[in-house]
Amino acid sequence: MHGDLGPIFSLYRSCLRQIRRLPTEYLRQFFRLRVGDDVRAILDPKREHLRPTKISRVRKDLRKLEAANAGIAKCFDYVLDTAYGRRGPLRWEILDPLRSEPGAPLPPRIIPEVESSRPPVYSREMKALFTSESSRKTRALPPAALAHPPTLPPRANPESPEARILGPFSKRREVNLRWRFFQAELQRTLLPLQVAVEKPPASGGLRALRKTDADALAQAGVRPVGLQHSGVFEEIEALASPPSKQRRASGEGTAEQPAPKFESHLPTRFLRRRYQQLLARIPVLVYKPPRQTPSGTHSGTFQVSLSPNAAKRSSPAHRMAGETELAWIQLAQQTAGTASKKKRGMDG
C-alpha cells in the first residue's frame, strides 16, 4: 500500500491545481470536498474494495476539470451539473426527500400480503415537476398518467373488456411496470435547488413577492428543498445576469451586498453563457398558498417556471416514442420498402 501512495498524492495535487482555477468559490469548495473524500476512501484500508472505483472517478474528474479550464463548453457544463445537483450524488440527495409526502398515508399495497408492492409516492412537489414543461427534458406528463401510467396495458383495469376475456392482469407485473415508469420519468425530470413561497404584492406594488426564508416556508407549511437557505441559486442567477441588469440593480441600490463575480482566466461572456444554460436546467419551484376569491377558496398549489436569466432551450421537448409508435414506424418503413421494390419491378 505505502509504495502506491506517490501516484495517488500526485493525482490529488493535480486535481487541486485545476480546482484552484475554477471561477467561483462554491465550485472550488465543492470539488475540494468531493476529491478529498475520494482520496480518503482510496487511502482507507477498510474500504480497499472501493479503491479502483474511486481512483477511476478522481481521474475522470481531473480530465473534466482540465477540459473545463481549457474552455471546452461540454466539459464545463459537466462540472456545473455535478456541482449543482443536475447529476451525481447531489442530485439524489436533493431527490430523496421529495419521494415522500409528510403526513399522507402510504398508498395501498397492490399485492395485499407483500409490503414492497406499494406503488411509488408522487409528492405534491413531484407532481408539479412531472407535469410541467419547465422541469422536463421531454414532454410534460398529463396528470392522469401519474395515477395510471401509459405503460400499463388496458387489461390492468379489471373492468376492461380485455380483462374480462383474458383474465386479470398479473399484480406483480403491474407493480414492476408502475415502478419502471416512475424511475424512467424521474430520469427525464429536472430538480429545483430550492422552493419559494409567493406572497401578495406589497401595498401599491404590482408584482408578487417570493420568499425563500425559513419563516415563510414554516408559515406556508412547506418543507425546504435541495440547497435551501444556502444562497446558491441566487448566486447562479446573479452570475447569469446580463451586464445591463447588473448595472440597473446597482444603480437602483437594490443589492444588499456586492454582486458575485467570476474569478477566472476564461472570458466572462463564456462563463455567463454557461451559467445561463445551467439555469435552463434548474426549474424554479414556487408554492402559492390558499387564497380566497369571489368564486371560492383555492387550495395551495405548486407551480414550476424558469428564471428570466435562463437561456432558451434550443429545441422543444418531445416524448420518447413508445413500443406501439416504434411498431407503427417499422411497419410503415417495411410497407414503403415493399412498394418501392414492386414499382422497380414493374418499371423493369
Side-chain angles (χ1 to χ4, degrees):
M1 176 70 182
H2 293 288
D4 299 335
L5 294 182
I8 294 172
F9 288 134
S10 176
L11 180 63
Y12 180 52
R13 287 192 296 270
S14 298
C15 287
L16 292 181
R17 281 194 292 270
Q18 294 300 323
I19 290 170
R20 283 194 290 269
R21 303 180 69 198
L22 292 174
T24 69
E25 183 60 27
Y26 173 81
L27 290 177
R28 293 190 288 268
Q29 289 183 1
F30 178 89
F31 278 98
R32 280 195 204 105
L33 292 172
R34 175 182 168 93
V35 173
D37 288 344
D38 286 344
V39 170
R40 279 188 288 273
I42 292 170
L43 299 176
D44 188 352
K46 297 179 181 179
R47 305 170 71 182
E48 192 168 356
H49 61 288
L50 297 176
R51 197 173 176 217
T53 302
K54 294 295 184 181
I55 291 176
S56 176
R57 191 168 91 160
V58 173
R59 285 174 176 165
K60 181 179 180 179
D61 281 350
L62 176 59
R63 291 194 300 270
K64 294 292 186 180
L65 289 168
E66 288 174 341
N69 284 324
I72 299 176
K74 185 176 180 181
C75 294
F76 201 98
D77 289 344
Y78 177 94
V79 168
L80 293 180
D81 285 348
T82 303
Y84 292 104
R86 306 303 89 196
R87 59 172 304 281
L90 182 56
R91 170 181 164 82
W92 297 106
E93 290 179 18
I94 295 172
L95 170 65
D96 191 54
L98 300 179
R99 299 182 67 168
S100 63
E101 184 67 71
L106 292 175
R109 303 169 185 171
I110 296 176
I111 305 174
E113 63 274 10
V114 180
E115 175 63 26
S116 62
S117 69
R118 296 184 190 274
V121 175
Y122 292 91
S123 63
R124 293 186 299 166
E125 297 92 337
M126 291 305 300
K127 287 178 181 177
L129 294 170
F130 273 41
T131 56
S132 171
E133 294 284 355
S134 299
S135 53
R136 295 281 295 171
K137 299 177 184 178
T138 57
R139 193 176 297 277
L141 294 173
L146 305 184
H148 189 87
T151 52
L152 283 177
R155 191 178 161 199
N157 180 4
E159 303 299 326
S160 66
E162 291 85 350
R164 286 196 294 267
I165 294 171
L166 301 174
F169 188 65
S170 167
K171 296 297 184 182
R172 174 52 61 190
R173 287 190 61 194
E174 181 181 349
V175 172
N176 293 340
L177 286 174
R178 285 183 179 275
W179 275 100
R180 286 173 190 165
F181 174 79
F182 176 74
Q183 296 292 353
E185 296 304 325
L186 208 53
Q187 295 293 337
R188 300 168 185 157
T189 303
L190 302 168
L191 303 179
L193 287 180
Q194 62 183 19
V195 61
V197 176
E198 188 169 283
K199 296 286 187 179
S203 57
L206 299 177
R207 295 181 57 186
L209 302 176
R210 292 182 177 179
K211 299 289 188 178
T212 59
D213 57 278
D215 290 341
L217 267 61
Q219 290 176 7
V222 176
R223 58 182 167 178
V225 172
L227 303 181
Q228 195 91 29
H229 315 315
S230 66
V232 169
F233 182 76
E234 288 78 7
E235 181 185 61
I236 297 172
E237 281 202 304
L239 293 172
S241 178
S244 58
K245 286 188 178 181
Q246 294 176 3
R247 287 194 296 269
R248 194 181 309 126
S250 60
E252 294 173 354
T254 57
E256 296 180 0
Q257 55 186 0
K261 295 182 179 180
F262 296 113
E263 302 170 6
S264 175
H265 59 286
L266 294 171
T268 300
R269 184 175 180 179
F270 168 83
L271 295 171
R272 186 184 303 118
R273 182 62 180 168
R274 302 274 61 78
Y275 273 79
Q276 289 170 350
Q277 293 282 0
L278 173 64
L279 277 179
R281 302 189 294 274
I282 303 178
V284 178
L285 184 64
V286 179
Y287 177 71
K288 293 191 172 183
R291 61 191 186 280
Q292 190 74 32
T293 64
S295 59
T297 303
H298 295 262
S299 59
T301 58
F302 283 96
Q303 293 187 355
V304 184
S305 61
L306 288 176
S307 166
N309 293 335
K312 293 184 178 179
R313 294 180 178 174
S314 56
S315 59
H318 294 287
R319 183 177 64 85
M320 299 294 291
E323 294 181 1
T324 305
E325 290 89 345
L326 291 174
W328 278 109
I329 293 171
Q330 187 177 8
L331 179 61
Q333 291 173 342
Q334 292 173 351
T335 305
T338 303
S340 178
K341 290 180 182 178
K342 286 182 179 179
K343 185 177 180 181
R344 286 198 299 269
M346 293 174 64
D347 292 342

